Amino acid sequence: MRELSFEGTTVRFGTGRSALTAVDGVDLVVPQGQVVGLVGESGSGKSTLAKAAVGLAPTSGGEIRLDGVPLRSRRDRRKLQLVFQDPHASLDPRMTIGESIAEALPGRRRHAARSAEVARLLELVGLDPARARSLPSGMSGGQRQRVALARALAAEPEVVLADEITSALDVSVQGSVLNLVRDLQRELGLTILFISHNLSVVRYVSDVIAVMYLGRIVEAGPADAVLSAPKHPYTRTLLDAAPAFGVALDDPVPADDARLDTEAPSPHDPPQGCRFHRRCPIGPLTRPERTICAETDPQPGAADRPHRAACHFAAEILEVPAR
Amino acid sequence: MGREQWKAALRHPVGAVAAALLVALALLAVVAPMLWGDAAEETDPAALSQGSTSEHLLGTDALGRDILLRVLVATRYSLGLALLATAICVVIGVLLGVLPAVLGRRAGRLVTAAVNLAVAFPGLLLALFFAVIFGVGARGAVLAIGLAGAPSFARLVQTNVAAVAGRDYVAAARVAGVGRFRLIARHLLPNIGEPLVVNATVLAGGALLAFAGLSFLGLGVQPPAYDWGRLLGEGLDRIYINPAAALAPGVAVVVAGLAFTLLGESIAQVVGVRAVRRRRVPAAEPAPLVAAEPAAAAVLAADDLRVGFPAPGGGWTHPVDGVGLTVRRGETVGIVGESGSGKSLTALAVAQLVPDAAQVTAGRLEVAGVAPLGRADAEVRELLGTKVAMVFQDPMTSFNPSMRVGRQLAEVTRVHERQGKRAALARAVDRLRTVRVPAPERRAHQYPHEFSGGMRQRAMIAMGLMSTPELIIADEPTTALDVTVQRQVLRLLKDVQAETGAAVVLISHDIAVVAQLCERVVVMYAGRVVEELPVDRLGAAAHPYTRALLASVPDLATDRDRPLATIPGRPPDPSDRPEGCAFAPRCEFADDACRMRPSLSAVAADQRAACWHPRTRPLDLTLDAVTGGQA
Amino acid sequence: MTALVAARPGVANPWVAFLARRLGRLLLSLAVLVTLAFGMIHLIPGDPVRAALGVTAPLELVDARREALGLNDPLATQFVDYVRALFSGDLGISMSSGVPVSETIGQRLPATASLAIAAFVVVMLVAVPLGLGMAVLTRGGRRRGTELGFTSTSAVVAAIPEFLLAVGLVFVFGVTLGWFPVAGRGGASSYVLPVLALSLGPALLLARMVRVEALAVLDEDFVRTARAKRLPQLRVYLRHVFPNALTSTLTIGGLLLSGMIVGTVLVENVFAWPGMGMTIVSSILAKDYPVVQGIVLVYGAAVLLVNLVVDVLLAVADPRSTIREG
Ligand SMILES: Nc1ncnc2c1ncn2[C@@H]1O[C@H](COP(=O)(O)OP(=O)(O)O)[C@@H](O)[C@H]1O
Ligand code: SF4
Ligand code: SF4
Ligand SMILES: [Mg+2]
């Protein structure tokens, strides 16, 4: 297992009126043996970043490296394995789950060796090896997601990218898949980029948390530090909005300020200056003197700020009261 | 396509007839020329251009040859040429269709563009074009029809390939390092096989008819050879003398063409639209009892509410199976449960919006003072009017895409209060402002697709506010939204509730969301209510399912060093629920007693659970400070 | 999000961009069509003039004819000449009759066009109400018998090609009953059978499609919303269901019209209808290539025009359509 790093990774889609930069100069390191959780609202570019890493989305700038070596060929990329969101769509309905897993095994092996390996992998993800011969159609979402994990592990990856792997599952099943991810990570020392829109889920599995907004990482740091002392107002907004027992809706939070925009801006036409400024509770809409936010992009100096926050006023954010 | 589906296609009456016809035609094609080939060439100078006689059943042609025999013998040639043309068409079509997937992006696009251009022209025009080039005659016609059909078949292949190539499992195979050709062989072709087989069958029918057309025009088979089209053309000239000479080959062409086409279509139906499988609608269940006396304090009162659908194997299945639910005026009640537990159907049944096939029964059902069961649709519409407002899960699909948002809102008052256009639109703008849609005048003139998800959900709430509803039912209103937007929509619902005094029923799979907004929580499992409790007693939930649900979902306070609690197994299928307690197979406390169905009974003040062994130990959750819905 | 895109200032009117793009495609298609029509005569194996005049024709005659047709020039010159002549409305001269092709087409076009248009109108008038009515009657699995009757009858009739239908109609209404003339173009009664033959299949096909489409729309979430508003049934159908079933009706309607334009070839030959279809067939048989070329061009251009009109109508009818989202 080794370290995955994104350096200035950029992904653009479309041309002309429909052009859009889904991932915009992302710097992010997934250290060896750790779980990096990536959160952000839908459309912020999380999936695109993961797809760029495995070669399913075209990068138009920057470099993606494994242990410092740029990933170029398909062969290089096989060392990264992506697990998809919808387990009903990610398994070929005509292949037995054994065939699906075996297909991902690297190198040539004899039939017996393959079957043994498939059985071992099924056992690893908590499925009966006898199921290798069954088709995915009879399986539940949770079981399919286990198969998808087994297929990813079959390729002997250096890094696993998990894109919203629990959001298509029933709540009663989600927990067992999260437990599995945690156990596998501990047992095998996996390096994982764990993507979810759900902060609570990310928090549960991650060592490091990175927050994405409109194609950029706006804050990244150790999970506890990011959650207890967020440096970017957007992280704070996410924390405040997460539904939790014991927090009433009418306890006002800074982001409820009626002067702020309520929705994300169009990714086709991101705002000037700080991309968050029309929704920022401590930005120019609530503090008119902060014209810098609407004029100067805070991204360039981010590396020098705490948690690499893309915010001119990163130091100012209050700690979140303990819940 | 599985053997099962072929069998199903043959069980379909149309499919069976078509298949039988094809078998008969194939037999005829083999034996007819051997038996009657020579007789069909024999000229009878004594009987030129005759009508039907005992000797020549369908009469004779200009040279005195027997029409019936010629029609029978022509089977082989007609079918053979049509199949040959079909084969050409399929081969070229598949090649052209798969090519873009094999070639690079740019070359692929070129092929696609060429095919799209060719598809714009009707097949017959292409066939005429090619017939000119390849010359008049059977060979030219086979090539012409094969080539003319190829573009549309190629397009079909391309569409199917593109659809499959976009699926996650193909992406997954690529990530796993599967090469391009193996990808096509193992993942693409097998998964587009079904539609292609179906369409090739239909195509064969089309080729047969097209061939008859060309031969009829004199551009196909040339004398002395003959096929059905040729016979038809010759017969038409003498239709006043001997109609059979034109009708017999015509009937042959139609029957053979139909056999192919209908077989293809009935396969397609069986494969594609499973619902087409005929289901006998079972005898309706005993008529529902109509409510006795209205309960003034409740805006919603339901007892033993059941929603049934005709089951595939006969009888009924009940996704909602005996729900009791009471909502007082101005109360906010949350319904939680996993997907498939019957939450949405319960809501739809209450609002009288279940799909056509469903049947709703209840011991008693009263909504906003109206007992809707057993009344005609129009009467229910009249009585309920605008008393119940709905907010649905998917704001993307819940608005009419071809109508401006303002008019969709205005429609409510125009219909129910007979307001003028102007006044109704003004109110719509006002309500959009109430739900804090920015620039409401401009927004009212936009189409739904110009709204973002959160904005649409606000507009949906505004639609409910066009009059004064007594009950607002919101079915997963925030599931499709981001957390920050979710918070705003929930707060909006709360404000609306406070201002209008309407009761709110909030349905969600997320118990934390429900806890934030509601005073009371109703937990559903497998079509029934398993627990009902005030939100501040969630920490003392008594039903094992409620407790497991609370423990298995991580929140921002979950201990990260301990595994999450899990619930083994999965919820039962509505058609296959265990007797007794439906949760028993997944319950760690299940015992023999649980083979009987437990009914809801009080475990504390205001708290009822349907469990033989209700838990009493408080849950180890950070729930002490639950205040949601209290203010 | 999209709202902001649509409202974004400084972007040229999307309609202009759309129309420009669409017209560009039409021109490209026309260019391809002209090239193919030109190329047709050169793709024919052997010498087309020799083939047309027969093996017995004297060599001088063949050479003179080749010269007259310009077939002895280099290919590029021929092509330029051909295109130039096209622009001045000159489609060449018939090899068999010596009459200018444009004159022949001018005579024959009205008969074909009136037939195709009449048939199209009938198709639309029958199919849309029939399809919608059937959808409403059979929604949610009601009236299984009606549904089965409609789907199987329409499937069978729609699968019968127009020329066979024509033969059947001639037999029943012309020969047996003698109600309508069976050949030639004359008064209104002469239109009955050809139009019927041409429109019956497409009408039932379209009705099937409209029904399926309307049933799909009936299942949409926004129809449930309309019902939640407690709107009268008729309003639900007319305001919420029908407009949204229109898109595919238009698409298929366009395809059918293209098909019917060319379908006239067969029907004209059954009813001895003096249109382009009769002419193209006799010209192919007589190897009168300039006439064939000219008529193929006219049919092709008509089809391309229909496609253009349909695309523009689609863009107008559907507010989500590509033109606004670019
Ligand atoms: N293939 C594509 N073509 C055009 N736009 C795309 C494509 N894939 C994603 N996008 C756009 O890129 C942005 C980021 O999307 P995505 O990576 O899926 O975000 P997330 O995973 O955070 O929800 C979105 O605006 C999305 O619409
Ligand atoms: S830079 Fe300004 S607007 Fe942006 S997040 Fe920081 S304070 Fe808010
Ligand atoms: S009734 Fe029995 S099986 Fe059902 S929840 Fe209670 S203890 Fe478990
Ligand atoms: Mg995503």
Side-chain angles (χ1 to χ4, degrees):
Chain A
M1 284 292 165
R2 296 179 297 178
E3 175 182 286
L4 173 70
S5 58
F6 297 88
E7 287 168 23
T9 302
T10 299
V11 181
R12 292 203 184 87
F13 291 116
T15 52
R17 286 163 46 77
S18 62
L20 122 97
T21 307
V23 173
D24 190 4
V26 162
D27 293 319
L28 180 68
V29 177
V30 187
Q32 171 165 358
Q34 296 206 11
V35 182
V36 171
L38 185 60
V39 277
E41 54 203 358
S42 63
S44 58
K46 310 180 298 290
S47 302
T48 307
L49 187 67
K51 287 188 176 156
V54 296
L56 290 176
T59 55
S60 52
E63 202 76 82
I64 301 171
R65 299 173 193 268
L66 197 57
D67 264 357
V69 183
L71 293 171
R72 291 276 152 74
S73 64
R74 290 171 68 95
R75 179 176 292 260
D76 293 346
R77 292 219 161 89
R78 280 189 74 160
K79 299 187 183 116
L80 309 182
Q81 284 298 315
L82 177 62
V83 184
F84 293 81
Q85 168 170 358
D86 183 358
H88 295 275
S90 67
L91 296 175
D92 190 330
R94 282 162 198 285
M95 277 183 153
T96 66
I97 64 172
E99 286 169 339
S100 279
I101 296 172
E103 192 176 55
L105 291 171
R108 295 182 168 279
R109 301 170 198 227
R110 289 230 305 280
H111 184 75
R114 291 175 89 89
S115 317
E117 184 61 12
V118 167
R120 187 186 72 82
L121 287 162
L122 282 173
E123 210 143 6
L124 192 63
V125 297
L127 290 174
D128 182 358
R131 296 214 103 161
R133 276 192 304 273
S134 52
L135 287 170
S137 52
M139 302 181 106
S140 70
Q143 289 171 328
R144 287 171 188 228
Q145 207 54 298
R146 285 168 192 269
V147 175
L149 272 168
R151 175 178 56 194
L153 295 177
E156 296 171 7
E158 307 283 358
V159 181
V160 174
L161 304 110
D163 186 7
E164 302 270 14
I165 57 171
T166 61
S167 41
L169 304 179
D170 264 332
V171 280
S172 70
V173 181
Q174 164 178 298
S176 63
V177 172
L178 287 178
N179 286 342
L180 174 66
V181 169
R182 249 174 44 130
D183 295 346
L184 285 176
Q185 199 270 331
R186 293 197 177 158
E187 250 170 67
L188 310 175
L190 292 176
T191 307
I192 300 180
L193 179 64
F194 187 93
I195 298 174
S196 173
H197 67 282
N198 185 333
L199 201 52
S200 305
V201 167
V202 164
R203 172 187 166 278
Y204 183 71
V205 293
S206 307
D207 305 301
V208 172
I209 290 182
V211 182
M212 204 162 175
Y213 184 75
L214 228 58
R216 291 178 171 178
I217 305 282
V218 295
E219 174 165 8
D224 288 323
V226 168
L227 294 173
S228 60
K231 297 299 177 206
H232 196 285
Y234 178 58
T235 314
R236 174 70 197 270
T237 303
L238 282 181
L239 280 165
D240 286 341
F245 298 105
V247 186
L249 270 177
D250 19 352
D251 297 347
V253 301
D256 291 336
D257 195 311
R259 286 169 290 180
L260 303 179
D261 275 8
T262 50
E263 315 251 330
S266 159
H268 296 272
D269 190 18
Q272 292 287 304
C274 173
R275 295 187 162 193
F276 188 56
H277 82 256
R278 297 202 53 82
R279 296 172 71 193
C280 179
I282 59 165
L285 295 195
T286 60
R287 308 190 188 185
E289 73 280 7
R290 294 190 163 175
T291 49
I292 182 176
C293 299
E295 285 156 10
T296 314
D297 188 351
Q299 188 77 34
D304 304 326
R305 302 198 193 101
H307 296 178
R308 303 195 3 243
C311 170
H312 296 301
F313 302 93
E316 208 181 281
I317 304 197
L318 301 173
E319 296 206 349
V320 178
R323 280 186 176 173
Chain B
M1 179 153 107
R3 183 174 305 163
E4 291 307 306
Q5 284 162 335
W6 283 107
K7 275 192 197 151
L10 293 183
R11 268 201 301 275
H12 199 270
V14 181
V17 172
L21 272 177
L22 279 186
V23 172
L25 282 171
L27 270 178
L28 205 55
V30 173
V31 300
M34 297 193 285
L35 293 181
W36 308 299
D38 297 331
E41 297 292 341
E42 234 166 66
T43 55
D44 183 353
L48 301 181
S49 294
Q50 271 190 346
S52 169
T53 61
S54 59
E55 209 166 317
H56 304 288
L57 216 53
L58 296 181
T60 56
D61 69 3
L63 297 180
R65 294 174 294 200
D66 187 274
I67 301 271
L68 176 62
L69 290 185
R70 286 174 76 77
V71 169
L72 290 176
V73 172
T75 308
R76 179 187 286 181
Y77 207 37
S78 305
L79 285 187
L81 291 175
L83 290 180
L84 209 58
T86 309
I88 292 177
C89 181
V90 169
V91 169
I92 299 180
V94 170
L95 283 181
L96 279 180
V98 177
L99 214 54
V102 181
L103 296 172
R105 193 169 298 187
R106 199 159 303 157
R109 220 176 273 164
L110 209 66
V111 175
T112 312
V115 167
N116 282 346
L117 189 69
V119 167
F121 298 102
L124 182 60
L125 185 60
L126 295 180
L128 288 177
F129 176 83
F130 287 120
V132 173
I133 294 177
F134 296 121
V136 167
R139 193 182 55 108
V142 166
L143 285 171
I145 288 171
L147 288 179
S152 53
F153 202 73
R155 159 104 122 213
L156 190 85
V157 178
Q158 277 175 5
T159 334
N160 280 298
V161 165
V164 175
R167 303 295 299 270
D168 279 353
Y169 60 78
V170 176
R174 277 167 65 191
V175 171
V178 174
R180 203 179 265 179
F181 287 97
R182 190 182 149 82
L183 208 62
I184 291 175
R186 286 291 274 150
H187 294 278
L188 291 184
L189 288 181
N191 283 296
I192 61 170
E194 281 169 22
L196 294 195
V197 169
V198 168
N199 281 286
T201 316
V202 176
L203 191 74
L208 191 99
L209 301 179
F211 220 103
L214 280 192
S215 287
F216 164 74
L217 291 176
L219 304 176
V221 171
Q222 298 298 317
Y226 57 96
D227 68 346
W228 289 330
R230 175 111 225 141
L231 293 177
L232 179 69
E234 289 167 0
L236 187 63
D237 298 337
R238 290 172 295 115
I239 193 162
Y240 279 101
I241 308 167
N242 179 15
L247 295 183
V251 167
V253 171
V254 170
V255 167
L258 273 178
F260 281 111
T261 313
L262 294 185
L263 181 65
E265 281 187 359
S266 56
I267 297 171
Q269 276 196 343
V270 171
V271 173
V273 203
R274 259 147 253 260
V276 169
R277 225 180 289 157
R278 297 258 307 287
R279 294 196 295 229
R280 186 154 310 141
V281 176
E285 293 188 305
L289 304 166
V290 181
E293 80 260 50
V299 67
L300 165 62
D303 270 339
D304 195 22
L305 179 69
R306 287 154 59 88
V307 182
F309 286 94
W316 293 82
T317 48
H318 287 95
V320 174
D321 193 12
V323 164
L325 186 63
T326 311
V327 179
R328 291 188 299 277
R329 294 198 175 273
E331 196 185 18
T332 50
V333 175
I335 304 181
V336 286
E338 293 175 84
S339 61
S341 59
K343 310 181 293 291
S344 297
L345 260 186
T346 302
L348 292 179
V350 166
Q352 299 297 302
L353 294 172
V354 289
D356 279 323
Q359 201 196 23
V360 179
T361 61
R364 141 179 160 142
L365 179 61
E366 250 175 73
V367 189
V370 178
L373 290 186
R375 294 183 196 274
D377 284 356
E379 199 184 348
V380 172
R381 272 203 302 278
E382 192 69 25
L383 288 172
L384 278 182
T386 55
K387 289 178 176 169
V388 181
M390 300 290 295
V391 181
F392 295 110
Q393 169 168 359
D394 191 347
M396 301 297 165
T397 56
S398 295
F399 274 101
N400 181 344
S402 61
M403 199 167 164
R404 293 176 204 276
V405 172
R407 286 183 54 191
Q408 295 194 48
L409 265 65
E411 200 177 28
V412 176
T413 33
R414 291 201 60 193
V415 167
H416 291 286
E417 296 176 22
R418 314 219 174 279
Q419 272 191 350
K421 226 178 200 165
R422 188 80 59 76
L425 195 63
R427 189 186 294 185
V429 170
D430 179 65
R431 295 303 189 267
L432 285 174
R433 188 174 295 118
T434 309
V435 298
R436 289 193 286 281
V437 167
E441 288 88 1
R442 188 170 63 82
R443 289 292 186 167
H445 286 282
Q446 290 184 329
Y447 287 97
H449 75 273
E450 297 173 272
F451 277 48
S452 67
M455 217 54 94
R456 267 181 249 196
Q457 212 55 307
R458 286 167 190 276
M460 188 58 99
I461 295 173
M463 184 137 76
L465 295 181
M466 287 301 286
S467 327
T468 35
E470 292 175 30
L471 174 64
I472 300 174
I473 301 179
D475 185 0
E476 303 261 10
T478 61
T479 305
L481 306 177
D482 290 314
V483 268
T484 53
V485 184
Q486 161 167 298
R487 179 179 168 87
Q488 292 156 6
V489 170
L490 291 176
R491 279 170 61 91
L492 176 63
L493 273 175
K494 184 151 203 156
D495 291 350
V496 162
Q497 195 269 335
E499 272 162 41
T500 62
V504 173
V505 172
L506 174 73
I507 296 173
S508 177
H509 66 278
D510 187 341
I511 202 163
V513 164
V514 161
Q516 276 194 306
L517 186 76
C518 301
E519 299 158 61
R520 209 147 57 80
V521 179
V522 172
V523 183
M524 284 187 68
Y525 185 77
R528 289 177 204 146
V529 174
V530 295
E531 184 158 15
E532 197 182 5
L533 71 176
V535 82
D536 55 9
R537 282 192 60 84
L538 275 175
H543 196 283
Y545 177 67
T546 314
R547 295 167 70 92
L549 213 51
L550 283 163
S552 64
V553 182
D555 65 16
L556 285 173
T558 306
D559 184 348
R560 300 204 286 159
D561 295 319
R562 284 203 309 200
L564 292 168
T566 58
I567 311 176
R570 56 165 143 170
D573 199 73
S575 58
D576 184 28
R577 283 198 197 113
E579 295 277 308
C581 175
F583 189 58
R586 305 173 77 189
C587 179
E588 56 176 313
F589 308 108
D591 62 15
D592 279 350
C594 307
R595 287 208 208 119
M596 295 258 293
R597 191 210 277 209
S599 57
L600 270 184
S601 46
V603 292
D606 294 337
Q607 181 178 3
R608 300 195 297 160
C611 173
W612 295 118
H613 310 296
R615 306 284 100 196
T616 48
R617 197 165 48 81
L619 270 171
D620 182 19
L621 289 169
T622 42
L623 290 171
D624 333 332
V626 169
T627 56
Q630 300 296 291
Chain C
M1 283 186 349
T2 8
L4 292 160
V5 182
R8 202 164 61 186
V11 180
N13 184 345
W15 278 96
V16 176
F18 165 74
L19 286 177
R21 217 171 43 228
R22 193 57 191 76
L23 279 177
R25 212 167 88 206
L26 176 71
L27 288 182
L28 182 75
S29 311
L30 278 176
V32 172
L33 178 67
V34 168
T35 314
L36 285 179
F38 168 78
M40 183 164 76
I41 207 165
H42 299 276
L43 287 171
I44 298 166
D47 180 355
V49 176
R50 166 62 71 194
L53 297 179
V55 277
T56 52
L59 194 62
E60 300 83 68
L61 182 63
V62 172
D63 265 347
R65 196 50 81 74
R66 284 187 65 87
E67 196 59 45
L69 286 171
L71 287 176
N72 293 336
D73 298 340
L75 209 57
T77 320
Q78 285 186 45
F79 186 60
V80 172
D81 288 345
Y82 180 72
V83 174
R84 190 173 298 147
L86 265 188
F87 271 104
S88 58
D90 174 10
L91 291 169
I93 290 176
S94 162
M95 279 158 74
S96 49
S97 67
V99 178
V101 175
S102 51
E103 200 181 307
T104 313
I105 290 179
Q107 281 168 3
R108 299 298 180 118
L109 184 61
T112 299
S114 58
L115 189 57
I117 291 172
F120 181 69
V121 171
V122 170
V123 166
M124 283 315 206
L125 288 182
V126 171
V128 172
L130 182 63
L132 281 181
M134 277 298 163
V136 170
L137 286 180
T138 61
R139 68 186 188 279
R142 297 176 192 203
R143 299 192 180 79
R144 289 270 179 211
T146 312
E147 183 193 332
L148 199 71
F150 173 73
T151 48
S152 40
T153 320
S154 58
V156 169
V157 176
I160 302 177
E162 57 281 72
F163 70 99
L164 290 177
L165 216 52
V167 172
L169 289 174
V170 165
F171 174 67
V172 175
F173 294 102
V175 177
T176 313
L177 298 174
W179 288 357
F180 301 106
V182 299
R185 180 179 178 221
S189 67
S190 71
Y191 274 81
V192 174
L193 293 185
V195 168
L196 207 57
L198 201 52
S199 57
L200 201 55
L204 286 175
L205 193 70
L206 187 63
R208 269 161 77 86
M209 302 280 187
V210 170
R211 171 175 167 270
V212 169
E213 201 55 34
L215 283 179
V217 175
L218 277 169
D219 272 344
E220 298 263 6
D221 287 352
F222 62 80
V223 174
R224 189 180 57 192
T225 305
R227 286 170 59 210
K229 291 198 269 185
R230 318 280 166 204
L231 302 178
Q233 293 274 337
L234 195 63
R235 194 180 178 96
V236 174
Y237 293 131
L238 292 185
R239 299 298 289 276
H240 295 273
V241 176
F242 177 59
N244 290 293
L246 194 69
T247 313
S248 48
T249 306
L250 265 175
T251 314
I252 299 161
L255 283 178
L256 288 177
L257 180 56
S258 308
M260 277 156 61
I261 290 174
V262 182
T264 51
V265 173
L266 287 158
V267 173
E268 284 179 12
N269 277 280
V270 175
F271 292 99
W273 191 262
M276 296 196 302
M278 288 277 281
T279 318
I280 191 174
V281 171
S282 56
S283 304
I284 292 176
L285 289 172
K287 301 201 164 67
D288 189 349
Y289 295 118
V291 179
V292 176
Q293 260 180 339
I295 295 182
V296 163
L297 265 183
V298 173
Y299 278 130
V303 165
L304 290 177
L305 270 180
V306 167
N307 288 348
L308 176 76
V309 172
V310 167
D311 279 2
V312 172
L313 285 181
L314 278 177
V316 175
D318 186 356
R320 286 162 302 177
S321 73
T322 43
I323 64 145
R324 287 175 218 188
E325 290 183 348

